[in-house]
Amino acid sequence: MAKGLVKAKEYDWKDSNLALFGSDIEKNVKREAAGTELAWQSAGKRCGLQIWRIEQFKVKALQRNDYGKFYNGDSYIILNTYQKEESDEFFYDVHFWIGSNSSQDEYGTAAYKTVELDIYLGDKPVQHREVMGHESKLFKSYFPTLRVLEGGVKSGFKHVLPQNYESRLLRVRGTTIRNCKVEQVPFTKHSLDSNDVFILDKGTTLYQWNGRGCDKDEKFKATQVTQEIKSERNGRVKIEVFDEDEISSEHVFYKFFPNKTVEQHTGDYDSFGKALFRLSDKHGSLSLSQVSKGRISMSNFNSNDVFLFDTGHDLFVWIGAKASVDERRKALEYGHNYLIQTDHPCAAITCISEGDHNEDFAEALD
């Protein structure tokens, strides 16, 4: 990344084309830099999770008490190090997470630094791209609670006393304790949905509103979150919990909200049919071509090339054992640039090498 770039005031990361991502030039630059990046000195040395945030083109380690808390104005790199049974060898999954308001500078730096970390760890990690609101099951499994909040490093993260907090509304939804997600939503009563649980954070008081159709696990998760917030504020917080049907429309809870509308978003994937594309340099230069659509099975894949398997919800970049160096290095770049041309640019991307087992990939096959 060039020095002196300024964060754009208005930027949609989905417009970004990472033309150099994975190129030989970029690879060589990052190979040299990987050994000198201080942030990587402790990376992958033991099992567990490590998270870094991009701050002014630099990789800064996140404090562990902030793990699971992400801001929509930032980009992050997440490394999970683990061992398999009866093996002393380390294995890795490395994700870069893009906030909806993250700038091109931040997102680009996260993408390039992910390549650098991959190189530092001997090209062993499985690479993933995560987008706010569309995180993969694997990514969400790392955190007992995934909290996505407004703001970012540019906001300064200034310490604010609870009584001076700007009111915020958190939505808790999921079908199990493990996949329950906590996200900040627009501060208006129109954000309320009877199928979920909401937490109104007033700084010194937390109101937990249980929608009439919410799941018991959502209630339990919300209770955990309110206790976490209370602990973060040294216990100086009052918590009130009630069910939607227990209170009238005149309850004080509703009076806190301004009467403004919320833009409604429809799902990206409702009518999408699975599609498979081949990335190959068989004829001298890289080209992407569609192989099949609808029913996709392992018989459609070939060890000689790279394939993009688009389910609508996920994009699996499958790397054949005999794929060329160029096909391997360009795989994630092509995956990213393919998605931003679709109506579901936020889908999670996972790179899979032939022979590796991935449950989500296996389930998506016919």
Side-chain angles (χ1 to χ4, degrees):
M1 300 293 293
K3 295 182 178 179
L5 293 179
V6 179
K7 181 174 181 176
K9 293 182 179 179
E10 294 185 3
Y11 172 72
D12 187 344
W13 66 267
K14 295 186 292 295
D15 294 333
S16 175
N17 184 304
L18 299 184
L20 290 178
F21 188 38
S23 69
D24 288 339
I25 295 176
E26 189 261 334
K27 275 276 187 177
N28 291 334
V29 170
K30 296 308 174 188
R31 192 174 299 280
E32 292 298 321
T36 60
E37 173 57 70
L38 296 179
W40 305 150
Q41 290 185 355
S42 62
K45 303 298 184 185
R46 59 179 64 88
C47 291
L49 209 60
Q50 293 173 277
I51 303 178
W52 300 267
R53 182 173 57 228
I54 303 303
E55 300 181 13
Q56 297 293 317
F57 305 101
K58 298 185 182 298
V59 182
K60 299 291 185 180
L62 201 65
Q63 294 184 357
R64 289 198 169 268
N65 58 5
D66 285 329
Y67 280 20
K69 185 188 300 181
F70 296 88
Y71 287 86
N72 67 357
D74 291 331
S75 290
Y76 300 77
I77 297 173
I78 300 89
L79 174 68
N80 183 44
T81 303
Y82 63 98
Q83 290 176 310
K84 298 180 180 180
E85 293 184 8
E86 301 180 357
S87 174
D88 294 330
E89 184 180 0
F90 285 133
F91 297 86
Y92 313 96
D93 283 282
V94 59
H95 308 246
F96 59 98
W97 184 93
I98 311 163
S100 60
N101 293 333
S102 179
S103 75
Q104 184 177 17
D105 298 343
E106 292 161 339
Y107 163 54
T109 300
Y112 292 148
K113 285 293 183 178
T114 296
V115 174
E116 185 180 278
L117 178 57
D118 177 84
I119 293 170
Y120 180 78
L121 294 174
D123 295 321
K124 290 179 61 177
V126 176
Q127 295 185 48
H128 308 260
R129 189 201 72 169
E130 309 284 350
V131 176
M132 174 182 151
H134 302 266
E135 293 86 355
S136 65
K137 292 179 184 177
L138 176 63
F139 182 83
K140 289 186 285 189
S141 73
Y142 298 147
F143 309 102
T145 303
L146 178 60
R147 293 161 62 182
V148 180
L149 307 172
E150 296 285 335
V153 68
K154 286 289 187 178
S155 302
F157 294 107
K158 296 179 180 178
H159 178 69
V160 180
L161 295 175
Q163 60 268 28
N164 296 327
Y165 271 37
E166 182 178 348
S167 298
R168 63 181 182 174
L169 184 63
L170 305 177
R171 181 178 190 171
V172 183
R173 58 177 170 176
T175 56
T176 67
I177 288 296
R178 292 301 299 175
N179 73 13
C180 273
K181 181 180 178 182
V182 182
E183 58 184 343
Q184 187 171 342
V185 295
F187 187 69
T188 166
K189 63 182 179 182
H190 297 291
S191 290
L192 300 175
D193 186 325
S194 295
N195 293 315
D196 298 317
V197 176
F198 291 80
I199 299 169
L200 172 58
D201 184 355
K202 295 290 293 180
T204 55
T205 304
L206 299 173
Y207 298 90
Q208 179 179 324
W209 183 90
N210 300 322
R212 65 175 61 90
C214 72
D215 187 274
K216 68 181 188 309
D217 287 331
E218 292 172 331
K219 289 184 181 181
F220 182 75
K221 175 60 70 174
T223 300
Q224 287 184 323
V225 173
T226 55
Q227 291 299 324
E228 288 173 6
I229 295 174
K230 182 176 181 178
S231 177
E232 290 171 359
R233 297 174 192 173
N234 299 316
R236 299 174 183 176
V237 173
K238 179 182 178 182
I239 299 174
E240 294 190 23
V241 182
F242 42 78
D243 294 333
E244 179 181 5
D245 291 334
E246 290 180 347
I247 60 175
S248 71
S249 59
E250 298 301 315
H251 191 277
V252 64
F253 172 80
Y254 296 112
K255 294 182 179 180
F256 289 122
F257 296 101
N259 188 22
K260 62 181 181 180
T261 59
V262 180
E263 181 182 355
Q264 296 296 321
H265 296 280
T266 57
D268 293 324
Y269 323 119
D270 294 340
S271 60
F272 184 82
K274 299 174 186 176
L276 183 67
F277 300 84
R278 175 189 285 110
L279 176 63
S280 176
D281 58 6
K282 180 179 179 180
H283 299 293
S285 61
L286 280 174
S287 63
L288 189 67
S289 59
Q290 185 167 312
V291 175
S292 185
K293 189 171 185 178
R295 298 180 63 86
I296 309 295
S297 68
M298 280 307 303
S299 63
N300 297 120
F301 295 78
N302 186 298
S303 298
N304 294 317
D305 297 310
V306 167
F307 290 82
L308 307 186
F309 179 26
D310 187 1
T311 71
H313 293 275
D314 299 275
L315 179 70
F316 297 101
V317 179
W318 188 89
I319 303 172
K322 298 179 182 178
S324 70
V325 173
D326 205 27
E327 290 167 351
R328 290 169 179 269
R329 289 183 176 179
K330 294 280 189 175
L332 188 55
E333 176 192 350
Y334 267 80
H336 167 83
N337 290 332
Y338 159 77
L339 275 182
I340 61 177
Q341 303 300 322
T342 71
D343 61 356
H344 49 280
C346 299
I349 301 177
T350 299
C351 292
I352 304 171
S353 295
E354 182 178 4
D356 290 346
H357 177 70
N358 181 284
E359 291 185 2
D360 294 330
F361 174 78
E363 289 178 4
L365 294 169
D366 289 306

